[in-house]
Amino acid sequence: MKLTLKIWRQKNAADKGRLVDYPVSDISPDMSFLEMLDVLNDQLVEKGDDPIAFDHDCREGICGMCSLYINGRAHGPQSAVTTCQLHMRSFKDGDTIYIEPWRAKAFPIIKDLVVDRSAFDRIIQAGGYISVNTGAAQDANSIPVPKVDADEAFAAATCIGCGACVASCKNASAMLFVSAKVSQLAILPQGRAEAEQRVLNMVSKMDEEGFGNCTNTGACEVECPKGISLTNIARMNREFLGAAVKA
Amino acid sequence: MSKLNSKIPAGPIDKKWTDYKDHVALVNPANKRNIDIIVVGSGLAGSSAAASLAEMGYSVKVFCFQDSPRRAHSIAAQGGINAAKNYKNDGDSTFRLFYDTIKGGDYRAREANVHRLAEVSTSIIDQCVAQGVPFAREYGGLLDNRSFGGTQVQRTFYAAGQTGQQLLLGAYSALSKEIAKGTVKMYNRHEMMDIVKVDGKARGIIAKNLVTGAIERHSAHAVLLCTGGYGNVFFLSTNAMGSNVSAAMKAYKKGAYFGNPCFTQIHPTCIPVSGDHQSKLTLMSESLRNDGRIWVPAKLEDAQAIQQGKKRANDIPEADRDYYLERRYPAFGNLVPRDVASRAAKERCDAGFGVNATGQAVYLDYADAIERYGKIEATKMNISNASPEKIKELGKAVVKEKYGNLFDMYMQISGENPYETPMKIYPAVHYTMGGLWVDYELMTTVPGLYALGEANFSEHGANRLGASALMQGLADGYFVIPYTIGSYLSDDIRTGKIPTDSPEFEAAEKEVRDRIEHLLNTKGTKPVDYYHKRLGKVMWDKCGMARNAEGLKEAIAEIQEIRKEFWANVRVPGAANEFNPELDKAGRVADFLELGELMCYDALNRNESCGGHFREESQTEEGEALRDDDNFAFVSAWEFAGDGKEPILNKEELVYENIKLVQRSYK
Ligand SMILES: Cc1cc2nc3c(=O)[nH]c(=O)nc-3n(C[C@H](O)[C@H](O)[C@H](O)COP(=O)(O)OP(=O)(O)OC[C@H]3O[C@@H](n4cnc5c(N)ncnc54)[C@H](O)[C@@H]3O)c2cc1C
Ligand code: SF4
Ligand code: FES
């Protein structure tokens, strides 16, 4: 396949940045999207140009490191996959592909397509855990957890922290990400003890980090590669109201 | 006399760890606050160690090269984690887990360490559940288990096909809790560039801020390397793109011995290579072998027709299929250990029976499992005379529940639907049993320098059993190092802060800067990947699933040549003081180029077959691996002798007091 790539180039946080055209050819449909960028980068290096910086690590859709806004969609045209799982068979010969970074005030650009998502870490640090020290736990089977609850907690816990929800929201809200963690720990009996303080702390940190408000557009759920459900946001809102009343 | 002291406590095997804990020196809480510990790596081993040590009161710094500790490669582990809970009442016990691990490792692991691992395994599950790790459960609300290769009990705890993710997020949450308290300071997007030794002890590291390129000095009383495995020396592996050997290599050059570098695990169930552009390989969890059946056509003409695209799997009648694992190993069938399964696949493909265009693939078939589960469901739901379609539908739903995400992943990569047609799989490099040599306390041969998790060589011998790496990483971090580190640090309570303006830090920093300059100033013609791919090919062809003396000698010469070319002609763009991933990659590949050679020396020296290490010169008439306990029942601990010099071999003899050495048989 032959393609025209229009890629966001930005030297560093201070630079203004712009879209640059890169024609590529000999792209196999079996290549992954990131392998296509690898090929382009090797060509750029051989020519003495600066390769395109993008984040990636596991390349199997689990670490949450890859990002990319492709033709106006977070993680590209397919639903329920990350950019690293996207294959070129999703594109046609002759296509023009726009490749841009996540855009959100809380995710400043580092270089080209790489952004700083450490705000997510700070939200987790504000309360996304159960305070149990090593060695202090009782036998794992001493508290039974109904299978439906365990499954629901698991579904929420599969969030990979990629930030696509934020990038695809017109308000750059982090509600889906935050609610996934709040839900996981609120559903499990082990997490109930700290549930109220947790939701208050995490929500207040989220606001402080500069993420926008949720106006229920639902774009996040559509673009989330892990299918994290909006019901988590509803649950977080209930948890938050319940806790705020008591606080 | 060996220079190695493994510090194995005296006494009976099941008392050693308890006795050790009862007598090890402690550091009192007031003193802990004045002791700094550096943890490099935030995977299961690093995060669990850092969180536990911080909870105890030590002052901890953690480094990882990703943008968040949650992205360490442990996140990608799929299948599960072992623990001798015996919740299934199927005869499991600490001894059995100990025995299975020693046997699975083909009698090349240290008894005392493995027994300790089996002992603490149960506490890991307790800890993770308390943290909110959502393991799979049964309808009664209790934890579910499944079985894994190399065992006959069900002791594997899991969270769908994302066990590593859930465990790592648990450890990450524990770490986050300590970061919030200020007891851990986290350095994301930082790479350790070298170890700093002062008076023979590890006293800090030189790190690079990968965003700004700034070179930083960090001091500590002890340094823990939890930097993962080095499978990427093969270029193609199931490891993440950034996984590397650099930290271990730096330690090796500073005097830490490298244990069994050639022990590599080639995993039998990966998605086959599709072309030259390929950047990594994807594992299909071993748990799939629980229910899937592996086969190739029994007739060569059928295999050839498939290779040419003229026939498909479903065209081959049952009678003409060769379920070669069930045929060769009736007792374990599809659940033989990984090394055995991988070699058997290679044997069939080398004989011409492979099932894709390249002839390098075998089938993993779920049709029988779908039918079996379908029938069970139909019975449960009281449907008598269920139609085959209904049974298939019910069966598919069960398989989807158990393996859905793996099947989706397969579909995404291959474009084929595994619910309808068998998957194609082929072995790929997956895990490295070798790593830094450590004693019972997890200390390397450099005082104050520890290695945990996949980065050390310890519990898996010559072959790791499935679901045991997660167990080991968390055992090391949560339950071993918090005790053993006291034995060293109790001598350090009066040392005070380690200054970073000493000549040792000065010299280490200069070395790091010089190397970066060298890489940038070479300004050759070929990108880093060009050399990495060449190295990978040599390693896969000559130090992969089967090895022989002649090939290994050739490989050593070839790697030396590639290394020379790399340093003379690599092209690294950009500058030192900016975000420059190509430069970081260049540094890592440079280290792989040294490791590859070391692995070949080790493989050459070990003229026996054991576990994942198969020397063609040492096999039975039936082509099974042949161990040589008289000559090779030892750990190879390699000592750096200087650049361009052959490394020096030290041996730690392995003494088996509780398990009798026998040739492994899964027949
Ligand atoms: C696809 C896949 C599936 C697997 N499935 C299973 C399974 O089902 N069950 C099982 O038991 N095992 C499984 N394993 C093996 C297991 O996941 C790993 O062995 C284990 O997670 C390793 O953990 P670790 O903490 O030692 O290292 P890692 O998780 O690899 O962490 C390494 C850390 O070190 C950091 N690092 C490395 N070098 C540097 C440096 N120079 N400077 C700074 N930081 C550095 C990285 O940033 C990272 O944080 C699987 C492995 C793979 C690849
Ligand atoms: S909720 Fe979905 S989109 Fe948002 S960070 Fe988690 S996985 Fe990514
Ligand atoms: S690179 Fe890990 S999720 Fe894409």
Side-chain angles (χ1 to χ4, degrees):
Chain A
M1 303 197 278
K2 268 195 165 82
L3 303 161
T4 305
L5 307 177
K6 290 182 175 291
I7 304 179
W8 185 260
R9 302 302 312 257
Q10 181 172 340
K11 253 201 120 28
N12 49 45
D15 184 24
K16 266 189 80 72
R18 69 212 183 283
L19 282 169
V20 177
D21 283 11
Y22 295 94
V24 289
S25 49
D26 284 335
I27 299 299
S28 144
D30 285 332
M31 274 186 194
S32 75
F33 196 84
L34 296 184
E35 283 165 356
M36 187 250 324
L37 291 180
D38 291 341
V39 170
L40 172 61
N41 270 349
D42 272 354
Q43 288 167 2
L44 292 176
V45 172
E46 288 191 41
K47 277 199 295 191
D49 289 345
D50 193 22
I52 295 141
F54 60 93
D55 264 332
H56 64 105
D57 198 25
C58 74
R59 294 208 177 182
E60 50 189 66
I62 193 74
C63 73
M65 186 105 178
C66 65
S67 52
L68 305 191
Y69 213 62
I70 302 168
N71 285 343
R73 291 189 63 184
H75 292 301
Q78 291 221 359
S79 53
V81 297
T82 54
T83 293
C84 61
Q85 293 174 296
L86 185 64
H87 279 69
M88 296 314 291
R89 61 180 91 93
S90 300
F91 298 90
K92 294 191 311 292
D93 190 30
D95 274 358
T96 297
I97 307 176
Y98 285 82
I99 309 174
E100 293 172 82
W102 283 174
R103 296 200 189 274
K105 191 173 104 203
F107 291 164
I109 290 181
I110 292 175
K111 181 178 179 182
D112 297 341
L113 305 169
V114 175
V115 301
D116 177 355
R117 287 169 287 196
S118 51
F120 270 11
D121 282 334
R122 290 188 292 272
I123 294 174
I124 299 294
Q125 286 154 23
Y129 47 77
I130 292 172
S131 301
V132 51
N133 281 5
T134 303
Q138 74 275 62
D139 184 84
N141 258 350
S142 60
I143 306 174
V145 181
K147 182 164 162 37
V148 279
D149 292 350
D151 288 351
E152 213 180 338
F154 170 75
T158 57
C159 161
I160 57 174
C162 63
C165 45
V166 175
S168 52
C169 173
K170 68 178 169 51
N171 309 318
S173 162
M175 285 290 272
L176 196 62
F177 167 78
V178 179
S179 69
K181 188 48 76 183
V182 166
S183 286
Q184 175 203 343
L185 300 179
I187 294 166
L188 294 170
Q190 288 85 353
R192 282 312 312 175
E194 292 168 290
E196 287 172 5
Q197 205 49 52
R198 174 180 309 119
V199 68
L200 295 176
N201 289 349
M202 288 179 74
V203 167
S204 109
K205 190 69 186 177
M206 171 179 84
D207 294 341
E208 187 190 314
E209 290 288 346
F211 292 101
N213 290 325
C214 174
T215 53
N216 292 313
T217 65
C220 53
E221 186 188 47
V222 176
E223 298 296 346
C224 169
K226 296 293 140 179
I228 302 296
S229 157
L230 285 178
T231 55
N232 290 303
I233 296 187
R235 183 181 294 104
M236 178 161 92
N237 285 334
R238 284 198 305 278
E239 291 277 331
F240 183 80
L241 286 175
V245 169
K246 287 198 210 159
Chain B
M1 243 289 293
S2 169
K3 286 184 267 181
L4 295 164
N5 177 4
S6 50
K7 296 198 213 142
I8 298 171
I13 188 90
D14 55 345
K15 299 283 175 336
K16 286 182 195 289
W17 179 234
T18 313
D19 274 358
Y20 176 92
K21 285 191 293 182
D22 286 347
H23 298 107
V24 66
L26 300 174
V27 180
N28 89 36
N31 288 328
K32 283 196 188 110
R33 253 175 279 131
N34 302 321
I35 291 189
D36 300 317
I37 300 176
I38 285 177
V39 178
V40 187
S42 64
L44 287 179
S47 288
S48 60
S52 306
L53 294 168
E55 285 163 7
M56 293 164 75
Y58 292 110
S59 162
V60 181
K61 284 182 178 178
V62 178
F63 295 79
C64 77
F65 64 75
Q66 291 94 344
D67 71 332
S68 161
R70 66 179 288 154
R71 308 206 199 282
H73 193 51
S74 295
I75 200 94
Q78 302 173 349
I81 176 167
N82 287 330
K85 279 284 195 188
N86 195 28
Y87 283 159
K88 288 280 171 184
N89 195 27
D90 57 2
D92 201 8
S93 65
T94 302
F95 183 83
R96 233 177 244 284
L97 175 52
F98 160 64
Y99 176 85
D100 286 347
T101 309
I102 294 276
K103 176 185 173 195
D106 218 358
Y107 307 93
R108 290 294 174 266
R110 205 186 272 152
E111 275 193 343
N113 285 52
V114 176
H115 199 278
R116 174 177 67 190
L117 175 66
E119 284 173 60
V120 304
S121 67
T122 54
S123 308
I124 297 172
I125 304 302
D126 300 341
Q127 185 64 29
C128 295
V129 166
Q131 286 169 344
V133 171
F135 284 118
R137 289 182 183 261
E138 298 169 341
Y139 283 99
L142 302 182
L143 293 161
D144 194 15
N145 290 121
R146 57 180 164 207
S147 49
F148 248 60
T151 67
Q152 289 171 313
V153 293
Q154 292 194 31
R155 64 160 74 97
T156 306
F157 294 79
Y158 67 100
Q162 281 142 272
T163 316
Q165 179 194 32
Q166 295 309 317
L167 294 173
L168 183 61
L169 293 180
Y172 162 75
S173 72
L175 180 67
S176 298
K177 155 177 79 65
E178 296 304 310
I179 296 173
K181 282 199 243 156
T183 48
V184 171
K185 191 154 168 28
M186 184 70 220
Y187 294 83
N188 299 334
R189 292 198 198 268
H190 273 68
E191 182 149 328
M192 185 204 100
M193 306 299 283
D194 211 347
I195 307 275
V196 183
K197 269 167 74 175
V198 180
D199 298 332
K201 296 176 176 174
R203 288 303 197 188
I205 66 169
I206 304 295
K208 179 181 162 199
N209 177 330
L210 299 181
V211 175
T212 62
I215 304 294
E216 303 168 357
R217 302 176 186 183
H218 297 271
S219 69
H221 298 87
V223 177
L224 277 49
L225 300 184
C226 312
T227 46
Y230 51 81
N232 276 347
V233 67
F234 291 85
F235 186 70
L236 286 181
S237 85
T238 64
N239 287 5
M241 301 301 286
S243 300
N244 67 85
V245 76
S246 294
M249 217 52 206
K250 297 291 152 49
Y252 167 68
K253 291 201 162 181
K254 288 272 151 97
Y257 293 179
F258 211 114
N260 299 330
C262 84
F263 285 174
T264 314
Q265 180 160 82
I266 315 259
H267 197 292
T269 53
C270 301
I271 301 180
V273 176
S274 79
D276 291 338
H277 53 265
Q278 195 119 5
S279 60
K280 75 154 278 166
L281 294 171
T282 303
L283 171 77
M284 300 300 292
S285 166
E286 167 163 283
S287 60
L288 290 170
R289 281 202 280 144
N290 241 325
D291 284 317
R293 297 179 70 195
I294 295 177
W295 63 276
V296 293
K299 296 185 183 153
L300 207 52
E301 62 264 29
D302 281 343
Q304 283 159 354
I306 291 173
Q307 288 160 14
Q308 292 153 9
K310 292 184 196 147
K311 275 192 179 174
R312 296 157 156 276
N314 296 339
D315 298 334
I316 311 296
E318 191 59 31
D320 292 340
R321 299 178 176 192
D322 175 15
Y323 296 91
Y324 57 87
L325 288 176
E326 297 168 30
R327 169 170 59 78
R328 282 178 68 176
Y329 309 100
F332 278 70
N334 294 296
L335 288 178
V336 290
R338 293 175 173 177
D339 54 332
V340 178
S342 291
R343 271 197 302 279
K346 177 175 156 52
E347 189 275 329
R348 283 293 79 193
C349 292
D350 287 353
F353 292 91
V355 297
N356 67 356
T358 61
Q360 302 283 300
V362 299
Y363 287 130
L364 174 63
D365 198 336
Y366 260 70
D368 280 1
I370 289 175
E371 192 180 323
R372 180 162 45 85
Y373 282 123
K375 284 185 179 153
I376 296 174
E377 283 304 289
T379 311
K380 268 199 221 157
M381 298 161 97
N382 264 326
I383 311 176
S384 50
N385 306 327
S387 66
E389 290 74 41
K390 184 72 191 169
I391 289 177
K392 216 169 159 189
E393 181 196 317
L394 293 170
K396 275 188 204 167
V398 176
V399 168
K400 190 173 167 63
E401 153 120 19
K402 287 191 157 208
Y403 308 105
N405 71 317
L406 298 172
F407 277 45
D408 289 349
M409 196 159 84
Y410 182 83
M411 225 174 315
Q412 188 60 42
I413 293 172
S414 71
E416 289 180 351
N417 179 356
Y419 292 100
E420 301 297 341
T421 175
M423 288 181 252
K424 292 185 199 113
I425 54 165
Y426 198 67
V429 173
H430 175 59
Y431 182 87
T432 47
M433 282 74 69
L436 292 172
W437 183 91
V438 290
D439 61 21
Y440 189 73
E441 298 181 322
L442 304 182
M443 203 199 291
T444 67
T445 47
V446 174
L449 182 65
Y450 294 78
L452 282 65
E454 194 173 338
N456 73 26
F457 87 103
S458 63
E459 336 306 45
H460 310 294
N463 173 56
R464 174 175 71 79
L465 290 181
S468 285
L470 301 182
M471 170 173 71
Q472 183 223 331
L474 290 180
D476 288 358
Y478 283 134
F479 296 108
V480 178
I481 197 73
Y483 288 97
T484 59
I485 205 166
S487 145
Y488 176 77
L489 291 177
S490 56
D491 291 336
D492 251 337
I493 52 178
R494 278 180 209 88
T495 309
K497 204 126 200 104
I498 312 286
T500 56
D501 55 5
S502 60
E504 289 87 352
F505 271 93
E506 193 86 34
E509 180 179 327
K510 182 171 180 314
E511 232 178 275
V512 167
R513 287 185 188 280
D514 288 351
R515 187 161 122 132
I516 290 174
E517 285 311 311
H518 192 157
L519 286 169
L520 286 168
N521 292 336
T522 302
K523 297 200 192 315
T525 59
K526 296 283 184 207
V528 175
D529 277 350
Y530 167 80
Y531 298 97
H532 196 179
K533 285 183 184 172
R534 277 176 62 192
L535 170 68
K537 181 154 173 28
V538 173
M539 293 302 291
W540 181 247
D541 289 345
K542 298 184 173 160
C543 195
M545 264 191 282
R547 303 152 174 192
N548 62 53
E550 195 190 339
L552 289 164
K553 284 181 196 149
E554 285 164 15
I556 291 172
E558 287 167 32
I559 295 168
Q560 286 171 348
E561 181 54 35
I562 300 173
R563 196 164 63 224
K564 220 161 67 202
E565 284 180 41
F566 172 90
W567 282 105
N569 195 32
V570 69
R571 177 167 201 115
V572 182
N577 60 350
E578 61 179 9
F579 186 77
N580 189 345
E582 274 293 307
L583 172 60
D584 306 330
K585 195 160 79 182
R588 295 172 193 164
V589 170
D591 292 326
F592 279 135
L593 284 165
E594 301 200 29
L595 171 78
E597 188 182 342
L598 180 64
M599 289 170 72
C600 292
Y601 277 119
D602 187 37
L604 184 60
N605 173 73
R606 193 170 282 277
N607 189 11
E608 66 157 349
S609 295
C610 61
H613 170 66
F614 188 72
R615 277 290 296 267
E616 287 169 352
E617 297 92 333
S618 183
Q619 50 181 311
T620 66
E621 273 169 22
E622 294 149 323
E624 301 293 341
L626 189 63
R627 244 179 31 236
D628 176 357
D629 294 330
D630 292 339
N631 295 302
F632 292 99
F634 60 79
V635 176
S636 305
W638 294 90
E639 181 180 351
F640 181 62
D643 285 315
K645 295 216 181 91
E646 242 184 72
I648 301 161
L649 176 65
N650 297 276
K651 297 179 184 176
E652 178 196 345
E653 298 299 332
L654 290 167
V655 183
Y656 289 90
E657 291 171 340
N658 301 277
I659 290 183
K660 211 169 111 235
L661 277 72
V662 288
Q663 285 290 339
R664 258 185 341 165
S665 168
Y666 293 92
K667 294 208 178 244

